[in-house]
Amino acid sequence: NAGVTQTPKFRILKIGQSMTLQCAQDMNHNYMYWYRQDPGMGLKLIYYSVGAGITDKGEVPNGYNVSRSTTEDFPLRLELAAPSQTSVYFCASRDRGSTDTQYFGPGTRLTVL
Amino acid sequence: GNSVTQMEGPVTLSEEAFLTINCTYTATGYPSLFWYVQYPGEGLQLLLKATKADDKGSNKGFEATYRKETTSFHLEKGSVQVSDSAVYFCALSAQGAQKLVFGQGTRLTINP
């Protein structure tokens, strides 16, 4: 049971480039989340999904897109990268209940220069 | 709306000191409450949780009691170790909610 996996671990982008951050979970969880964590700050929710084919915006969705074609995968797309998107990105998943634990991946550290 | 407020950090203690990190919340109904810990360079992981009033969550020597009358979920440990150095996040999940609400995090450093 690998839990929540994220790739890549590190990435440097130039301004205006695009990339996709990958996230996969093998726990058959319905709920999946993308957060960003800026240096010394807390977590901000970017997008989340309550099941395959259903996604919704969080607090800071601008500049990002997501899709959820399968239960397992929840990729995050950055279009036209900007320095303000320099951050550590965490994916998480949870089972159906609001009392259930959220499980986090190890994170992707992204720098936009 | 629902919110979580944690004590301001950073917190620096000596090894074997007693630890309290305060957490208070605002929510309607009966939320579930969580403490997550983030070790350097890692993602968050659940430390403990409580799902109803007066429940005590405990793990790795840490404890927190769900106090509905004071809307609090303070984290305590009797004797901290250097390995407890991390960032601690208090969070709540309202009944039927799809998302967690996180506090801002408290950075804890334990000196030998």
Side-chain angles (χ1 to χ4, degrees), chain A residues 34-113:
Chain A
W34 274 106
Y35 296 92
R36 58 178 286 172
Q37 184 178 36
D38 298 332
M41 305 290 285
L43 297 170
K44 293 183 181 177
L45 182 64
I46 305 171
Y47 270 97
Y48 67 102
S49 168
V50 301
I54 306 169
T55 62
D56 208 348
K57 296 177 181 178
E59 301 170 75
V60 290
N62 291 344
Y64 306 94
N65 276 300
V66 293
S67 59
R68 183 101 182 268
S69 56
T70 67
T71 300
E72 294 78 18
D73 300 300
F74 191 40
L76 178 72
R77 178 85 177 158
L78 279 71
E79 305 283 0
L80 299 174
S84 60
Q85 293 178 304
T86 294
S87 191
V88 181
Y89 291 84
F90 291 102
C91 180
S93 74
R94 193 200 84 184
D95 210 343
R96 290 182 185 275
S98 60
T99 62
D100 291 325
T101 302
Q102 258 188 40
Y103 293 89
F104 285 78
T108 294
R109 184 175 296 274
L110 175 68
T111 302
V112 182
L113 299 174

Side-chain angles (χ1 to χ4, degrees), chain B residues 3-5 31 43 60 76 90 99 102 110:
Chain B
S3 65
V4 175
T5 302
K60 299 183 181 180
E76 296 182 336
C90 186
K99 299 174 282 185
F102 284 95
I110 308 299

Side-chain angles (χ1 to χ4, degrees), chain B residues 10-80:
Chain B
V11 174
T12 302
L13 296 172
S14 297
E15 207 165 19
E16 298 183 4
F18 183 85
L19 169 71
T20 301
I21 300 178
N22 290 337
C23 171
T24 57
Y25 68 90
T26 301
T28 53
Y30 298 89
S32 296
L33 301 172
F34 303 81
W35 277 101
Y36 282 83
V37 59
Q38 184 180 30
Y39 298 106
E42 298 183 10
L44 280 70
Q45 56 186 273
L46 180 71
L47 180 60
L48 53 84
K49 70 179 183 181
T51 58
K52 60 183 188 294
D54 300 323
D55 266 3
K56 179 186 282 188
S58 61
N59 186 24
K60 299 183 181 180
F62 291 88
E63 293 183 341
T65 300
Y66 186 163
R67 302 280 188 208
K68 185 128 180 89
E69 63 276 12
T70 55
T71 61
S72 64
F73 193 54
H74 305 321
L75 182 68
E76 296 182 336
K77 187 174 185 182
S79 175
V80 293

